[in-house]
């Protein structure tokens, strides 16, 4: 059959009839594109912006969508508005958003993220436990510079002490130098280690008068200082960031001779009086002790002990049997205590849990308090407010799972926004402080022999989200800086950074979606920048993932979808269509297709067609095939040449043309495996054959959709069916169903199958087989 002999007349019939002539194509695809451009050039784009939106970008960056019918249909054929990078970004952002929503939904701790009540509960512990004795930072009697540790306090530190690694080396160094700088993270057991070291050093020196806390540690640096109690051990706590640490800076970091002389005098005094001194602290003290003046003192970095070993020792003592140990570990696993101590592996927390177990109290309740991320975050922000610490915590919260250098670079940008301008780049070393200020973060190195940067991860899956919520809701003076910084990350070259920043914006919106919509989401959604619009769509997906916020988010999406035909409102509608293609649409497919319809049915405005078409594809990939196909059937039911019919069938043809891509969200429950590189509607054809047959029949009979539908069918037969077992058989059943419908469907299919089968450059064996099947069915 020649091309000139293609059917030329249409016969009206009931059902899916032919309402428009079927002339031969005659022109190739490029001719058709050129004709469309020549006959009806694209309408000029208008940048109707709301206050605060950025200036229009270059043509390559602006994706307002075409306005005319011809441009809209041409854009679908070319994949307008979604190049490979944009598709990858949408998929990646969707995957991260889905994981965040899963974490928030699981929420085993009972935390309610994003609400101010989250940080107002009365919790007695969680960010860190304090076991035994008064602390050096607590109140002291007036005029008293030292405080003797009583027998109960010393016993609490010594009787069930778990000896850390290299403890013997620290003891030898103390005995030799008389002054030991013992450093470790807060809660690491550094005070208990100090008390044990002092006790043993005194015993080895012939006994002594016990241990004393130095309430005014800086006094030891004075020329006239003399230990108040001879033959005693002295403990001084120099917490990071305290004024006491700053007073020691001159002794450690000043000129070599001055620092050495100061500490030489202290050591001589201690030796003459039979005393020992242990200075405990964290990162700041460790850095100071490395200065010139530190030559005269011993230094030791405390190796953390296994918190489970601390619990076992404090519960079972020194003589616990194998059965008792097994019962204890079973209790720890059953109550979640093992997981809690893995997330917060400090000796302090282990000691507090051990006291709960010994008292036969509610261990599960204690564990729940310990794991509560809201309490950890509140306690941390109360202790650390400097830009360095806050910037890295927020950067890690946004970019968790990214490499350390990526997180550190982002943290430096935020730090600059939170600090006064500096004349030179600051010497900031986030990694050195992670074990002290950021104990909730770990750096996971590549597997043995592997290559790659260490990955930044929180020990508790919800911590990142709670940190963001806390900073956004309670750090009022820093909200603008955080939002500006997050906006900068959305233009980062790394796709993963942009995707995670978009998800972080959604976490911010969880607290108050109404505020977020008016504060930044509407501006992003109406932007001329596609990455910003994608960010707004992703953020709304996260913000609407909780039952308490879902209704507010859906109202916004419906409002955006129903806007007028201006370029700005068109972009809002497109963003709404993009948003419902994610996890929002998976949980409420009916509402999702309603948004798509509103976005599509906009009188003579065709500019939202690409976004709606992609929204339908994403919903199908989310496992909502039935809802999407039913919508396309309903919207195209008139089967005339009205805009809504052409738009609906065009969106359908676009959906059957889009291959399944990885990575995509594993929605589960579909019962059918997806084949990468093959359209989902082809692999699911047997499940939806009647719906698909009707839509295929409508699309193949309708210009201007017909050309795209024929191209899609040709690809199904020659390109996709060979990649998926049994697909050609399913296409055969589909075409038989289409051919039996009233009208010219059989004639049309026969003509095109014959053309493809006889193609000189690329004859189609699949088309030849299908043609034989149609011929056999005619004779029956």
């Amino acid at each position: 059959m020649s091309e000139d002999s293609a059917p030329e007349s249409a016969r009206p019939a009931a059902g899916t009839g032919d309402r428009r002539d079927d002339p031969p194509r005659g022109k190739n695809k490029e001719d058709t594109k050129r004709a469309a451009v020549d006959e009806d050039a694209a309408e000029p784009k208008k940048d109707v912006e709301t206050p605060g939106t950025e200036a229009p970008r270059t043509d390559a960056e602006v994706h307002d969508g075409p306005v005319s019918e011809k441009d809209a249909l041409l854009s679908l054929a070319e994949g307008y508005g979604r190049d490979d990078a944009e598709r990858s970004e949408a998929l990646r952002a969707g995957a991260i958003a889905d994981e965040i929503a899963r974490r928030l939904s699981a929420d085993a701790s009972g935390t309610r993220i994003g609400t101010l009540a989250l940080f107002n509960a009365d919790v007695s512990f969680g960010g860190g436990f304090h076991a035994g004795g008064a602390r050096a930072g607590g109140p002291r009697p007036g005029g008293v510079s030292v405080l003797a540790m009583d027998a109960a306090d010393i016993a609490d530190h010594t009787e069930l002490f778990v000896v850390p690694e290299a403890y013997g080396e620290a003891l030898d160094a103390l005995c030799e130098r008389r002054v030991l700088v013992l450093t470790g993270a807060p809660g690491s057991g550094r005070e208990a280690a100090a008390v044990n070291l002092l006790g043993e050093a005194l015993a080895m020196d012939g006994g002594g008068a016990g241990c004393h806390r130095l309430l005014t540690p800086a006094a030891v640096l004075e020329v006239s200082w003399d230990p108040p109690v001879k033959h005693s051990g002295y403990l001084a706590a120099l917490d990071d960031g305290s004024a006491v640490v700053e007073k020691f800076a001159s002794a450690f970091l000043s000129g070599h001779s001055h620092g050495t002389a100061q500490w030489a005098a202290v050591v001589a005094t201690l030796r003459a009086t039979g005393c020992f001194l242990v200075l405990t602290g964290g990162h700041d003290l460790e850095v100071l002790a490395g200065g010139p003046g530190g030559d005269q003192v011993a230094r030791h970095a405390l190796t953390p002990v296994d918190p489970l070993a601390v619990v076992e020792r404090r519960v079972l003592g020194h003589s616990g049997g194998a059965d008792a140990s097994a019962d204890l570990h079973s209790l720890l696993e059953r109550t979640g205590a093992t997981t809690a101590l893995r997330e917060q592996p400090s000796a302090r927390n282990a000691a507090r849990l051990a006291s709960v177990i010994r008292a036969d109290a509610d261990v599960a309740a204690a564990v729940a308090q310990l794991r509560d991320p809201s309490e950890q975050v509140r306690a941390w922000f109360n202790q650390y407010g400097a830009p360095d610490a806050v910037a890295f915590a927020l950067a890690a919260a946004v970019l968790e799972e990214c490499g350390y250098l990526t997180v550190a670079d982002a943290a430096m940008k935020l730090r600059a926004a939170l600090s006064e301008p500096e004349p030179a780049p600051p010497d900031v070393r986030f990694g050195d402080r992670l074990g002290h200020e950021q104990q909730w973060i770990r750096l996971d190195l590549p597997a043995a022999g592997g290559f790659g940067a260490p990955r930044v991860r929180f020990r508790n899956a919800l911590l990142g989200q709670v940190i963001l919520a806390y900073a956004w809701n309670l750090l009022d003076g820093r909200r603008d800086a955080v939002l500006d910084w997050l906006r900068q990350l959305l233009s980062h070259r790394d796709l993963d950074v942009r995707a995670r920043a978009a998800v972080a914006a959604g976490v911010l919106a969880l607290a108050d979606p109404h505020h977020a919509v008016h504060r930044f989401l509407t501006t992003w959604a109406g932007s001329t920048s596609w990455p910003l619009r994608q960010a707004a769509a992703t953020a709304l997906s996260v913000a609407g993932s909780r039952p308490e916020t879902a209704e507010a988010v859906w109202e916004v999406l419906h409002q955006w979808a129903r806007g007028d035909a201006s370029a700005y409102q068109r972009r809002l509608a497109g963003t709404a269509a993009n948003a419902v293609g994610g996890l929002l649409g998976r949980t409420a497919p009916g509402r999702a297709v309603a948004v798509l319809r509103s976005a599509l049915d906009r009188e003579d405005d065709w500019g939202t067609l690409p976004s709606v078409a992609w929204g339908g594809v994403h919903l199908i990939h989310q496992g909502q095939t039935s809802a999407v196909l039913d919508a396309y059937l309903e919207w195209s039911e008139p089967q005339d040449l009205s805009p809504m019919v052409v738009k609906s069938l065009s969106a359908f043809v676009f959906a059957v043309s889009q291959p399944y891509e990885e990575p995509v969200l594993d929605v589960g429950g579909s019962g059918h495996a997806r084949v990468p590189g093959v359209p989902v509607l082809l692999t699911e054809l047997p499940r939806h054959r009647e719906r698909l047959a009707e839509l295929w029949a409508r699309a193949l009979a309708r210009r201007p959709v017909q050309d795209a539908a024929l191209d899609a069918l040709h690809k199904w037969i020659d390109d996709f069916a060979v990649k998926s077992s049994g697909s050609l058989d399913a296409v055969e059943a589909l075409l038989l169903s289409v051919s039996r419908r009233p009208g010219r469907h059989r004639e049309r299919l026969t003509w095109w199958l014959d053309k493809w089968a006889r193609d000189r450059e690329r004859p189609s064996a699949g088309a030849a087989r299908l043609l034989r099947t149609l011929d056999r069915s005619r004779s029956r």
Side-chain angles (χ1 to χ4, degrees), residues 103 127 253 263 349 453 474 491 541 568 601 619 631-632 688:
R103 293 177 187 176
L253 299 180
W263 283 113
N349 291 339
L474 298 181
S491 60
S541 294
Y568 176 72
D601 193 9
L619 278 176
Y632 290 158
H688 307 283

Side-chain angles (χ1 to χ4, degrees), residues 476-488:
D476 297 324
R478 294 178 169 178
R479 191 174 296 122
D480 284 346
V482 170
L483 185 58
D484 290 343
W485 168 73
L486 200 61
R487 168 65 181 80
Q488 292 175 22

Side-chain angles (χ1 to χ4, degrees), residues 24-41:
R25 298 171 78 189
K27 298 180 181 180
N28 61 29
K29 190 173 182 180
E30 293 303 318
D31 292 335
T32 304
K33 292 180 182 178
R34 284 194 294 270
V37 173
D38 291 341
E39 292 174 13
D40 190 359

Side-chain angles (χ1 to χ4, degrees), residues 540-554:
L540 285 169
S541 294
V542 176
S545 64
R546 297 298 294 265
E548 58 267 32
T549 56
E551 189 62 34
V553 169
W554 280 111

